[in-house]
């Protein structure tokens, strides 16, 4: 199996280990009422979007998510949390350096032996979730699991559902589809964006992601009998019927939304195999974006 497939298969165990760490790091992962920003790049940005929606939706304080390169310098926060698997991403390190001494920062990483160790005020290390693959799977979902647990929003059902997502076969014929759309609501919008990114990275698929209620406002026009629309979380009333009326395949999210993301990761690897692609060698990508100094 590819590194990507091996790593995504290990997620239930990674999540269970991660939950055990949440209490240890509770003082550096935000307190109720704090104004918090969560930042990252690529996959980590989409996980930031998910946790920001979860935290604010739970009434625990204003929470924003930004791509690290787009952090608004004029805004004030009580804490900034950075997600960075490699600990070497230029935009994240530059932001942490700019924030030094003005706001407490916490970095969640898979590798402490990197520049992020000294760039952030506090460090959370999920080294057991590190990856050889360029395409992120288990680190991203473990980081989100850590923050869900910290917020009191993780359940054991999520781990059980992840095991189900790995054990059950994908819907028959799905890999042959020509286009994939992922939909979310609230915190699952970030998951939908991440599912679409996995499909692009691993299988070079034509893939899009939208808030579920927005799908009717134009994007549904691309639906045909060779497309699939996958809902992560509960769908708005009537949307499934509208999509099915176009001839497109409707995939209902029946598991915990994070476990549904695991199913989407499996689809990305399966489509790559179907198309004769190596998911460990995604086109034009590398594990960490380190920019040359200019």
């Amino acid at each position: 199996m590819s590194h990507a497939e091996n790593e995504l298969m290990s997620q239930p165990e990674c999540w269970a280990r991660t939950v055990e760490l949440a209490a240890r790091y509770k003082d550096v992962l935000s307190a109720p009422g704090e104004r918090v920003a969560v930042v990252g790049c690529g996959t980590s940005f989409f996980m930031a979007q998910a946790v920001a929606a979860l935290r604010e939706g739970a009434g625990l304080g204003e929470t924003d998510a930004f791509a690290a390169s787009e952090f608004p310098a004029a805004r004030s926060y009580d804490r900034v949390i950075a997600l960075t698997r490699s600990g070497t991403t230029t935009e994240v390190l530059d932001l942490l350096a700019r924030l030094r001494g003005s706001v407490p920062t916490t970095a969640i990483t898979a590798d402490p032996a990197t520049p992020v160790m000294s760039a952030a005020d506090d460090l959370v290390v999920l080294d057991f979730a590190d990856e050889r693959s360029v395409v992120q799977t288990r680190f991203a979902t473990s980081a989100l699991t850590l923050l869900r647990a910290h917020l009191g929003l993780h359940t054991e059902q999520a781990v059980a559902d992840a095991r189900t997502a790995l054990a059950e076969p994908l819907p028959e014929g799905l890999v042959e589809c020509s286009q994939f759309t992922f939909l979310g609501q609230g915190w699952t919008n970030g998951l939908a964006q991440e599912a679409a990114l996995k499909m692009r990275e691993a299988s070079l698929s034509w893939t899009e992601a939208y808030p579920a209620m927005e799908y009717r406002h134009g994007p549904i026009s691309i639906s045909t009998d060779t497309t699939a629309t996958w809902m992560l979380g509960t769908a708005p009333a009537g949307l499934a019927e509208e999509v099915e009326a176009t001839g497109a395949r409707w995939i209902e999210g029946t598991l915990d939304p994070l476990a549904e993301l695991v199913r989407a990761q499996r689809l990305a690897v399966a489509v790559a195999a179907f198309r004769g692609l190596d998911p460990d060698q995604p086109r034009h990508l590398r594990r960490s974006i380190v920019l040359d100094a200019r």
Side-chain angles (χ1 to χ4, degrees):
M1 291 195 293
S2 65
H3 296 314
E5 188 172 6
N6 274 322
E7 289 159 0
L8 73 86
M9 293 293 289
S10 70
Q11 286 173 108
E13 291 71 29
C14 286
W15 296 3
R17 291 185 64 179
T18 298
V19 170
E20 296 173 358
L21 299 176
R24 181 191 307 178
Y25 293 108
K26 64 182 180 64
D27 293 335
V28 301
L29 292 177
S30 78
E34 285 186 333
R35 192 162 189 255
V36 174
V38 191
V39 302
C41 299
T43 288
S44 292
F45 172 45
F46 298 139
M47 296 299 99
Q49 289 179 323
V51 74
L54 279 171
R55 185 175 185 271
E56 190 158 316
L60 295 173
E62 291 185 17
T63 316
D64 296 319
F66 301 103
S69 59
E70 298 298 318
F71 185 84
R75 290 196 190 180
S76 60
Y77 292 95
D78 298 309
R79 181 170 293 274
V80 173
I81 299 173
L83 308 181
T84 171
R85 175 180 66 171
S86 69
T88 60
T89 304
T90 297
E91 298 100 301
V92 172
L93 296 177
D94 286 351
L95 175 60
L96 292 173
R98 293 201 308 272
L99 296 175
R100 171 72 71 178
S102 63
V103 56
T105 59
T106 300
I108 302 175
T109 187
D111 186 357
T114 60
V116 77
M117 177 185 292
S118 56
D121 297 317
D122 296 292
L123 202 64
V124 178
V125 180
L126 305 179
D127 53 356
F128 54 85
D130 203 356
E131 295 160 327
R132 296 180 65 183
S133 176
V134 172
V135 177
Q136 280 200 57
T137 55
R138 69 184 182 190
F139 173 75
T141 61
S142 295
L144 182 52
T145 296
L146 174 76
L147 292 162
R148 283 181 86 182
H150 169 69
L151 299 173
L153 301 174
H154 170 79
T155 68
E156 288 304 311
Q157 188 61 47
V159 177
D161 280 358
R163 293 194 172 99
T164 298
L166 293 169
E168 291 186 348
L170 293 168
E172 186 175 351
L174 192 59
V175 296
E176 288 93 342
C177 287
S178 64
Q179 192 275 344
F180 303 88
T181 299
F182 296 90
L183 306 179
Q185 292 193 106
W187 75 282
T188 70
N189 278 319
L191 301 187
Q193 293 289 343
E194 170 58 10
L197 180 64
K198 289 288 89 71
M199 294 295 297
R200 296 185 199 106
E201 290 177 331
S203 66
L204 305 182
S205 294
W206 172 22
T207 318
E208 300 176 346
Y210 302 96
M213 291 296 288
E214 286 295 303
Y215 193 57
R216 297 178 174 95
H217 296 274
I220 197 171
S221 64
I222 66 170
S223 296
T224 72
D225 58 4
T226 64
T227 65
T229 302
W230 190 324
M231 182 71 209
L232 281 76
T234 303
L239 183 57
E241 291 78 9
E242 291 186 43
V243 171
E244 288 170 342
T246 70
R249 298 193 61 167
W250 172 260
I251 309 299
E252 188 77 36
T254 58
L255 304 174
D256 179 274
L258 196 56
E260 285 292 326
L261 177 58
V262 174
R263 290 181 72 204
Q265 293 169 348
R266 287 184 59 210
L267 176 63
V269 171
V271 173
F274 178 74
R275 297 179 179 177
L277 301 171
D278 181 356
D280 288 337
Q281 300 292 329
R283 190 171 65 185
H284 310 316
L285 297 179
R286 55 187 186 272
R287 190 174 184 275
S288 173
I289 305 301
V290 179
L291 303 177
D292 295 333
R294 289 180 173 83

